[in-house]
Amino acid sequence: MTVRILAIHAHPDDLEILAAGTLAHLSRQGHSITIATMTAGDCGTAEYDAETISAMRREEARRAAEMIGATYVCAEFRDLAIFNDDPSRRRITELMRRAQPDIVLTSSPVDYHCDHEATSSLVRDACFAAPAPNYQSGDAPVLGRIPHLYFLDPDEGRDREGRTVTPDFIVDVAEHMELKKRMLASHESQRTWLQKHHGMDNYIETMEQWTRDRGRLGGITYGEGYRQYRCHPYPQTPRLQELLGPLVRNTSGA
Ligand SMILES: [Zn+2]
């Protein structure tokens, strides 16, 4: 049975860093993947105007998604302008109703970037709203039920005060590391920007090191971390874990 998975994060490249290995695996299993970003990354540049960089980054994200046969959509918010308000919640609910996901992966509720945190709460609330027939969002059909919801790791696995955020489980992505690197490498515009703004001149190597660090938590070479949102009335059964089977390693903090 084909399972529909919606992975939605704030900016182009976030999902490639945090979840590409898992998504590659799910795609190879024959599941349907939608990769969504809230913005087109319009502030991730010191060289181009917002419209130019957005067009470049939409194309980079589309190419990365294409590598695993995923569909790419952009919710067309602007960088540093994502808020959990009424129109934004309806916009994300509509996006979700179009994707009709069984499983949703999104950003951590605590993270270094305000867009990541706002995305997390909007997606959480859209999962709740999407099956409610009287909640108007557009033309897309309501969801049959609340999808299974998972949070990805925050940047460096830490909250804003530097405390460790431990995932419930780690997914073994060793088999997909070369593909994960190629997906991230499609975000060419970000290499230059991260050198200038973040003082980071090794985009791919930093991602690889991070994936290695996460793997260590699960006693494996390369991994990606997940926390399942199990608050009532969200589904509590381990749907994603069951799909991934032996690739799932528990962490000591679970
Ligand atoms: Zn981001």
Side-chain angles (χ1 to χ4, degrees), residues 9-11 13-14 112-113 116:
H9 211 298
H11 313 113
D13 82 3
D14 287 325
Y112 86 104
H113 199 300
H116 292 198

Side-chain angles (χ1 to χ4, degrees), residues 16 20-21 23-24 35 60 63-65 67-68 178-187:
E16 284 78 358
L23 294 173
I35 289 181
E60 290 169 350
R63 279 207 309 269
M67 289 180 201
I68 57 165
E178 289 311 310
L179 180 52
K180 181 172 181 172
K181 284 188 216 172
R182 286 204 303 278
M183 286 173 74
L184 185 59
S186 87
H187 295 272

Side-chain angles (χ1 to χ4, degrees), residues 190-244:
Q190 289 312 283
R191 275 178 144 156
T192 321
W193 163 247
L194 291 171
Q195 269 174 15
K196 193 176 176 70
H197 188 257
H198 290 46
M200 214 170 105
D201 64 358
N202 48 0
Y203 195 31
I204 309 293
E205 290 79 4
T206 302
M207 175 279 283
E208 186 173 8
Q209 185 56 50
W210 166 249
T211 312
R212 196 179 287 126
D213 289 348
R214 257 359 194 184
R216 197 174 298 124
L217 261 188
I220 49 181
T221 311
Y222 290 111
E224 291 169 350
Y226 294 87
R227 278 170 290 153
Q228 184 171 6
Y229 186 67
R230 293 186 175 92
C231 185
H232 172 79
Y234 291 68
Q236 300 185 5
T237 54
R239 187 98 196 254
L240 178 63
Q241 298 92 311
E242 284 171 2
L243 284 185
L244 295 166

Side-chain angles (χ1 to χ4, degrees), residues 21-33:
T22 306
L23 294 173
H25 190 80
L26 292 165
S27 171
R28 201 178 63 185
Q29 286 182 312
H31 301 303
S32 158
I33 318 278

Side-chain angles (χ1 to χ4, degrees), residues 39-61:
T39 83
D42 54 287
C43 290
T45 182
E47 296 173 77
Y48 306 103
D49 63 30
E51 202 174 315
T52 306
I53 189 69
S54 295
M56 290 166 67
R57 297 194 67 188
R58 277 188 212 98
E59 178 56 19
E60 290 169 350

